[in-house]
Amino acid sequence: MDQLSSLREAILIGDGGAAARAAGEALAAGVSPVDVIAEGISPAMGEVGQLFEEGEYFVPELLIAARATKEVFAILRPLLAETGARPAGRVLLATVEGDLHDIGKNLVGMMLEGAGFEVVDLGVDIPASRFVSAVEAERPQIVGLSALLTTTMPAMKTTLEALDAAGLRSQVKVMVGGAPVTQRYADSIGADGYGDTATAAVELARSLIGRQDAEASQG
Ligand code: B1M
């Protein structure tokens, strides 16, 4: 796991080249692309967030760490795409309206792709109306909403309400996540599930697809 320690250090100092090299070495040593994310990038970005909270890091450090992860994703993405035969399901993923945070959402998307899901990533600051039109166009089984601000969490509720008003709510399972989101909040807005980490989001997506298949077979 030395390569994952080097990857972590490279992300912490925002050295994209070193991060990409460490990730390449981890892959060559037999670490799976999913583990590079779950055991390398994800905890490193969690640590970057923590250092920011503690006043050790400032916005520039955050942004160069995030940029370093992008260089690693560029290597991982084609490998993750190779994994599955039939997609495990289609997930429409985005950060809700008013919210520009995408590091966690991107990790969730990459982990889902690694688990064989087809991910349609709408990006950040996505209004409820865009979710509605994208559900109509893409026909996902799951909609994943990410929010990092307490002020944007209510946009999750608005999005669920918009899906309901458009008659689409029963056609999709909705999962929510992001640092301020809790199971209790997810329950209070009528979401189908909450994931506290990218790994949990993958497990949740699998179980939601299972639930949806069971409901469909009951007619
Ligand atoms: Co912002 N920011 N930020 N920020 N930022 C927070 C969230 C904050 C807690 C920092 C603080 O002040 N202590 C605070 C929110 C406070 C609150 O809401 N009460 C905050 C603020 C205030 C702001 C601004 C308003 C600052 C300002 O301008 N005054 C501004 C808002 C911009 C906007 O969105 N409109 C802002 C801006 C930024 C940056 C642009 C500088 C940058 C974002 C860069 C980017 O994303 N491209 C940034 C960052 C990086 C952070 C912190 C430091 C780190 C977030 C992060 O990436 N964490 C954050 C503090 C913190 O969380 N410690 C903070 C790492 C990431 C891997 O974790 O995103 O939690 P996370 O994702 C996890 C899980 O939550 C989960 O899986 C991921 C991996 O395990 N998960 C899901 C996430 N989405 C999921 C979806 C799922 C399931 C699981 O299902 C669909």
Side-chain angles (χ1 to χ4, degrees), residues 191-208:
D192 297 296
Y194 157 72
D196 63 340
T197 63
T199 313
V202 171
E203 283 315 308
L204 176 62
R206 286 199 182 109
S207 84
L208 290 177

Side-chain angles (χ1 to χ4, degrees), residues 42 45 49 52-53 59 62-63 93 98-104 107-108 144-146 148-150 175-179 195-198 201:
S42 202
M45 282 315 296
F52 179 80
E53 302 262 279
V59 171
L62 286 179
L63 294 179
L93 185 65
D99 199 321
L100 302 175
H101 295 83
D102 68 355
I103 297 167
L107 287 172
V108 170
L145 308 176
S146 183
L148 262 287
L149 298 171
T150 45
M175 65 181 197
V176 296
D196 63 340
T197 63

Side-chain angles (χ1 to χ4, degrees), residues 14-201:
D15 185 339
R21 271 194 304 283
E25 285 164 14
L27 293 166
V31 180
S32 73
V34 167
D35 283 346
V36 171
I37 299 170
E39 289 167 29
I41 302 175
S42 202
M45 282 315 296
E47 211 175 320
V48 169
Q50 190 58 39
L51 288 166
F52 179 80
E53 302 262 279
E54 289 164 6
E56 291 283 323
Y57 272 21
F58 295 95
V59 171
E61 283 96 342
L62 286 179
L63 294 179
I64 59 168
R67 199 175 55 198
T69 66
K70 293 211 165 130
E71 295 199 31
V72 182
F73 283 149
I75 299 176
L76 297 179
R77 177 155 276 130
L79 301 174
L80 291 167
E82 279 169 14
T83 52
R86 184 171 160 268
R90 179 179 284 191
V91 183
L92 187 73
L93 185 65
T95 304
V96 295
E97 184 165 25
D99 199 321
L100 302 175
H101 295 83
D102 68 355
I103 297 167
K105 174 207 40 97
N106 291 345
L107 287 172
V108 170
M110 296 294 287
M111 290 288 285
L112 286 169
E113 283 181 14
F117 285 88
E118 198 182 331
V119 176
V120 180
D121 188 340
L122 297 181
V124 297
D125 189 16
I126 301 302
S129 58
R130 265 288 303 289
F131 280 101
V132 168
S133 53
V135 167
E136 282 166 343
E138 304 286 349
R139 296 280 159 202
Q141 285 99 339
I142 297 177
V143 174
L145 308 176
S146 183
L148 262 287
L149 298 171
T150 45
T151 49
T152 56
M153 281 166 64
M156 292 180 153
K157 183 164 186 273
T158 314
T159 302
L160 281 160
E161 286 166 354
L163 290 172
D164 200 14
L168 297 168
R169 182 64 186 92
S170 61
Q171 295 172 32
V172 290
K173 297 287 179 202
V174 177
M175 65 181 197
V176 296
V181 182
T182 59
Q183 181 67 57
R184 195 171 166 171
Y185 181 72
D187 293 342
S188 77
I189 61 170
D192 297 296
Y194 157 72
D196 63 340
T197 63
T199 313

